[in-house]
Amino acid sequence: TQHHHDHHHQQQQHVCPHRTPGADGSAVHDGEKVARRARHSPYPMIPMTEATALVMEKATRLGTVVLSATEAQGFVLASPVYARDALPPFPASIKDGYAVIASDGPGDRTVVGPVTAGDSPSIVITSGEIARISTGACLPEGADAVVQVEDTELLVDADEGRIEREVRIKSTVSPGHDVRSVGFDIQKGECVLQAGDTLGPAELGLLASIGVTKVDVVRKPVVGVLSTGNELCDPDVDQLPPGHIRDSNRSMLLAALRESGFTALDLDIAVDRPDVLVEGIQDALYKVDVLITSGGVSMGEKDLLKSVLTERFGGTLHFGRVFMKPGKPTTFVTIPSTQGDDGQQRLVFALPGNPVSALVSYYLFALPALRQMSGISTPALPVVQVKLSHDVRLDPRPEYQRCTVKYSHSVDSSTGQISPYPEVCTTGSQCSSRLMSMRSANALLCLPPRTADGVGVLEAGSIVQAQIIGSL
């Protein structure tokens, strides 16, 4: 598959500079000597703040690409956009009513014709005359105000009510009343969108209103998802072989990426053999800016991913364990670029194999990095203060419990006022393999570690932080 870094195929082909396995297919480390494997992880367990900082330091903004406005939703502008025309480009009526000369004041007037939206009126209004006008229509020459239809009275009609002859104006208006002047909304040459703005529905509407159909935006990273493990089968397998499970992580992570607006490539399953892992990763590096893997990063004899990334691809391992629950084995590696490459290093998030650990680590590390690479100025997930609806037991590590946040507008019994905090309930068993705990979750409850003096429970009513991962 050809590798493109943008949606217009403007990217130079990525000539992969990374090392390939030797002709003998030799393993990265001697997996046969399992009895002599390390009994303790050689990787220090670093705090979340340090791990997050390391990731965000390497998640540099990508280059720019020109996109059609119809393809640019969710992208970040790389340069400001200026209006080439005024809006409206003519004095436009705000109401359905009559175009009048304000100085004529109230009184009976002759109707000289209708003006509807889209017309280029040829009539000229003189004193004692008015023109029926619709919302958005161009004010005819001579008129300087609009009187809404509710402030008028029909006096004479013709052709069985199809034509108005005379109308009484019953209100006094000033020049410019109910008229949008030229450039009232947008002046010609005005900066309507700044570099760094994210293109949502309103921004795309603005672009259309000033005739901008192509925009310079920050390229979004292309992300590949690779599952690892001898035990994994594709989800469509009817009869599972003994000792096997269906691969849920790939479907889950691909969906999470696409939900956030990223191009996500399914890179299949790689079994736990160094040569297979090397082949799968090498193929991925041709296609993606960021690689997300799951499995193969803990302490098992088949957990080969860390050594494959560092020894075979010259990767820099920034951390291999994080002081958190779930997701302790989460690993972050950067693969360098060399001459002939596109100059952009590849980021690798090697996530734990347990489904919940993988998804929580994705939200805490990978998603903010992807958002920053896309040019989003506030890449971190939003955080809200929430009130616990039940007691929560604390773990020795900082924990990110899956939870549901909802605004109940309940009355605080101590103050008699509606509580300013949303309520939060955890989603049952928080076991890292139990994907059911993510099913209804829209937030991650950020719990501190158990304190040295033995405080191991946060009581109902306590105020804590929650990171939002879904709709409230």
Side-chain angles (χ1 to χ4, degrees):
T1 304
Q2 190 176 359
H3 176 207
H4 299 290
H5 276 309
D6 63 56
H7 302 284
H8 287 278
H9 311 293
Q10 298 172 352
Q11 182 72 20
Q12 199 173 337
Q13 186 178 10
H14 174 187
V15 180
C16 188
H18 313 296
R19 288 175 287 179
T20 56
D24 60 354
S26 55
V28 172
H29 62 72
D30 195 344
E32 295 180 0
K33 297 180 180 178
V34 62
R36 298 182 183 178
R37 73 188 189 280
R39 302 281 165 167
H40 301 281
S41 175
Y43 303 102
M45 191 152 55
I46 67 172
M48 272 293 296
T49 52
E50 184 180 343
T52 302
L54 285 168
V55 168
M56 301 310 279
E57 179 187 348
K58 300 299 179 183
T60 54
R61 199 192 87 159
L62 298 180
T64 64
V65 64
V66 175
L67 291 183
S68 160
T70 58
E71 299 175 294
Q73 183 171 357
F75 282 78
V76 173
L77 276 176
S79 55
V81 176
Y82 298 92
R84 64 183 184 184
D85 298 309
L87 185 69
F90 51 81
S93 176
I94 294 175
K95 300 279 185 66
D96 293 320
Y98 295 86
V100 303
I101 298 172
S103 60
D104 278 356
D108 299 347
R109 303 284 178 262
T110 300
V111 181
V112 296
V115 181
T116 58
D119 289 348
S120 177
S122 58
I123 58 176
V124 178
I125 304 297
T126 60
S127 183
E129 296 177 334
I130 60 175
R132 189 172 73 249
I133 195 166
S134 60
T135 302
C138 179
L139 203 69
E141 187 179 345
D144 61 3
V146 171
V147 173
Q148 64 181 3
V149 68
E150 293 88 343
D151 294 338
T152 67
E153 178 185 342
L154 176 66
L155 297 178
V156 179
D157 65 10
D159 194 16
E160 298 182 339
R162 294 183 178 89
I163 299 174
E164 295 176 332
R165 295 296 191 194
E166 290 186 28
V167 165
R168 178 168 294 159
I169 300 298
K170 301 165 65 175
S171 63
T172 300
V173 294
S174 303
H177 183 76
D178 278 344
V179 175
R180 291 161 61 219
S181 58
V182 174
F184 180 85
D185 297 324
I186 300 172
Q187 294 285 335
K188 183 176 181 178
E190 180 181 347
C191 180
V192 296
L193 292 171
Q194 302 278 0
D197 287 346
T198 299
L199 295 173
E203 290 77 13
L204 293 172
L206 267 175
L207 293 177
S209 72
I210 60 173
V212 173
T213 58
K214 292 187 180 297
V215 283
D216 188 25
V217 297
V218 180
R219 186 171 64 78
K220 287 187 180 184
V222 176
V223 189
V225 178
L226 174 70
S227 289
T228 72
N230 294 340
E231 76 280 17
L232 298 180
C233 290
D234 281 320
D236 59 359
V237 170
D238 289 330
Q239 190 67 39
L240 285 172
H244 284 65
I245 58 172
R246 294 181 181 88
D247 175 20
S248 61
N249 287 358
R250 218 166 10 121
S251 299
M252 174 181 71
L253 292 168
L254 288 167
L257 286 160
R258 289 166 183 157
E259 183 179 58
S260 295
F262 296 103
T263 299
L265 304 183
D266 183 350
L267 301 177
D268 212 346
I269 299 168
V271 297
D272 293 320
R273 278 186 12 219
D275 58 325
V276 175
L277 289 171
V278 168
E279 182 180 357
I281 293 169
Q282 176 135 347
D283 180 58
L285 294 176
Y286 278 102
K287 304 173 183 176
V288 304
D289 301 292
V290 175
L291 174 62
I292 297 177
T293 67
S294 64
V297 290
S298 192
M299 291 291 293
E301 62 186 272
K302 297 295 186 181
D303 290 328
L304 311 173
L305 206 49
K306 288 182 171 83
S307 56
V308 166
L309 290 168
T310 54
E311 295 177 25
R312 285 298 177 87
F313 293 95
T316 299
L317 192 147
H318 299 281
F319 57 81
R321 288 195 307 162
V322 184
F323 188 54
M324 63 182 289
K325 180 183 179 181
K328 182 174 74 172
T330 299
T331 297
F332 175 57
V333 176
T334 51
I335 306 291
S337 60
T338 62
Q339 189 173 5
D341 198 359
D342 58 11
Q344 182 73 37
Q345 66 180 354
R346 304 297 188 255
L347 273 57
V348 181
F349 294 92
L351 308 182
N354 274 325
V356 173
S357 299
L359 192 54
V360 169
S361 299
Y362 163 78
Y363 281 122
L364 294 178
F365 297 112
L367 182 55
L370 295 171
R371 285 166 56 83
Q372 183 163 286
M373 294 172 76
S374 304
I376 295 173
S377 58
T378 54
L381 298 179
V383 175
V384 297
Q385 299 276 91
V386 297
K387 182 169 69 173
L388 294 179
S389 60
H390 53 81
D391 292 353
V392 174
R393 186 177 299 277
L394 299 179
D395 190 82
R397 286 174 282 163
E399 186 173 7
Y400 298 87
Q401 289 199 3
R402 283 68 70 203
C403 64
T404 302
V405 171
K406 62 180 179 179
Y407 285 88
S408 61
H409 305 293
S410 59
V411 175
D412 190 320
S413 58
S414 62
T415 64
Q417 304 293 318
I418 293 178
S419 173
Y421 301 107
E423 288 197 349
V424 63
C425 295
T426 56
T427 54
S429 169
Q430 298 291 304
C431 176
S432 61
S433 62
R434 185 177 179 267
L435 195 53
M436 287 287 284
S437 71
M438 292 295 300
R439 182 175 60 89
S440 59
N442 62 3
L444 299 175
L445 194 60
C446 306
L447 299 175
R450 186 183 306 153
T451 60
D453 58 7
V455 176
V457 174
L458 283 180
E459 296 181 349
S462 298
I463 305 301
V464 295
Q465 289 188 332
Q467 288 192 296
I468 302 302
I469 60 173
S471 300
L472 293 179

